[in-house]
Each structure stands twice: as structure tokens, then as C-alpha cells.
Amino acid sequence: VTSRTSLPAAERRLRSQLHQLLSQAEGFLHGSLIEMSRRCGNPRCRCAREDALKHRSLYLGQTRSGKSSMLYVPADLEATVRRWVEDYQRAAALLEELCAQGRERVGEAKTRERERKRSKRAKAAAAKGKSAGRSKGGGGKTTRNQAPKPS
Ligand SMILES: [Zn+2]
């Protein structure tokens, strides 16, 4: 029933931002970037002298179905991988905002349903009030106390 044009403006805007991101991003990566520094073991290497000179390398840490993994990021891909991780986070944030819009729409439907039920109950109560008045006047349903036994 819901056509795209009948969507709230906020949701349309979020969708078009997400759409744009999906079509323009080079890639997406989910995880956290972890920089590690280590000594290579060569006693003549600069890394052996000072902590600040240790070899650093980048990893993408991930936890999938309870298992954590570290994906080594080759040095020439570091900037790219950082962008992919950022673009995933932007996409996830947009999707989360879209979900908030969805929750809002469910909440509004719930309110409408409650109002419908309330007005239905009000109508029913009004109708009942009328019929109660009628039965008081005479021809109502009084089957239960019929035929009293003569004493
Ligand atoms: Zn070294």
C-alpha cells in the first residue's frame, strides 16, 4: 500500500542517502581497525633499538558468530580499507535511522488501532446504553427470571 512518494520526508531522505552511498562506495568492510607494532627479531634492525621504531601493521578485527578474527591489511591498501570501514559505518548508521523510522511507523499504527478500538467501544457502549433504556421500559431479555414458581 505504501508507495515511495507517500513515505515521510525524513525516510525518503535517509533512503536516498543510503542509495547514494551504496552506489558510490568502492567497498564495505565491517570490523575495527587494529594497529599492531612488533619487533621483527633482527637485532640490527631499527625496531630492536626503540619501541617507537617497531614495525607497525594494520589488521581488521572482526567477530563473526562468536569467533574473532584478524585480517592483515597490506600496507598499500590501508587508506582504502579505512574508507571501506568508514563507509560501512555510515551505511549502518543510515540503516539504523531507517529502522527508527520503521519503529515510529509501527508506533503510529498502534496509536491508530487503539483509537479505532476506543471509538468502537464508545459506540458499543452508546448502543448498549440505548438498549438498556429500552429493556427497562418493558420488552427486554428477562428469560432468566421467567416463570416464578407459585408458592
Ligand atoms: Zn625490525
Side-chain angles (χ1 to χ4, degrees):
V1 186
T2 313
S3 73
R4 270 191 84 124
T5 48
S6 75
L7 289 171
E11 183 157 343
R12 271 210 305 281
R13 180 177 47 77
L14 289 167
R15 283 191 194 215
S16 82
Q17 280 174 0
L18 183 60
H19 188 263
Q20 199 179 344
L21 182 60
L22 290 177
S23 58
Q24 287 177 356
E26 299 167 60
F28 295 94
L29 277 171
H30 181 204
S32 45
L33 291 168
I34 300 155
E35 264 187 29
M36 307 254 269
S37 51
R38 59 176 188 87
R39 293 199 163 85
C40 64
N42 178 355
R44 286 190 187 162
C45 184
R46 64 199 170 96
C47 71
R49 290 203 310 273
E50 230 183 289
D51 271 0
L53 296 176
K54 285 200 281 192
H55 305 277
R56 51 162 295 283
S57 43
L58 191 68
Y59 291 83
L60 179 73
Q62 260 191 320
T63 306
R64 264 186 306 198
S65 47
K67 279 185 185 169
S68 58
S69 67
M70 295 268 273
L71 178 68
Y72 171 72
V73 178
D76 61 352
L77 222 64
E78 284 189 9
T80 304
V81 163
R82 286 183 195 279
R83 271 201 309 278
W84 292 11
V85 168
E86 264 172 39
D87 281 342
Y88 168 79
Q89 285 166 352
R90 284 171 57 206
L94 286 169
L95 204 50
E96 188 49 52
E97 281 186 66
L98 275 165
C99 290
Q101 291 284 318
R103 281 194 296 273
E104 216 167 274
R105 277 155 67 184
V106 172
E108 283 162 8
K110 185 181 154 191
T111 306
R112 280 196 301 275
E113 184 186 70
R114 201 190 295 142
E115 279 163 4
R116 261 201 314 277
K117 281 181 179 170
R118 190 181 293 147
S119 73
K120 211 188 249 177
R121 261 203 309 276
K123 267 182 207 160
K128 205 177 171 188
K130 266 181 223 158
S131 73
R134 222 178 13 247
S135 72
K136 223 173 255 173
K141 288 200 276 178
T142 43
T143 44
R144 213 167 278 174
N145 290 337
Q146 252 176 2
K149 283 184 181 108
S151 50

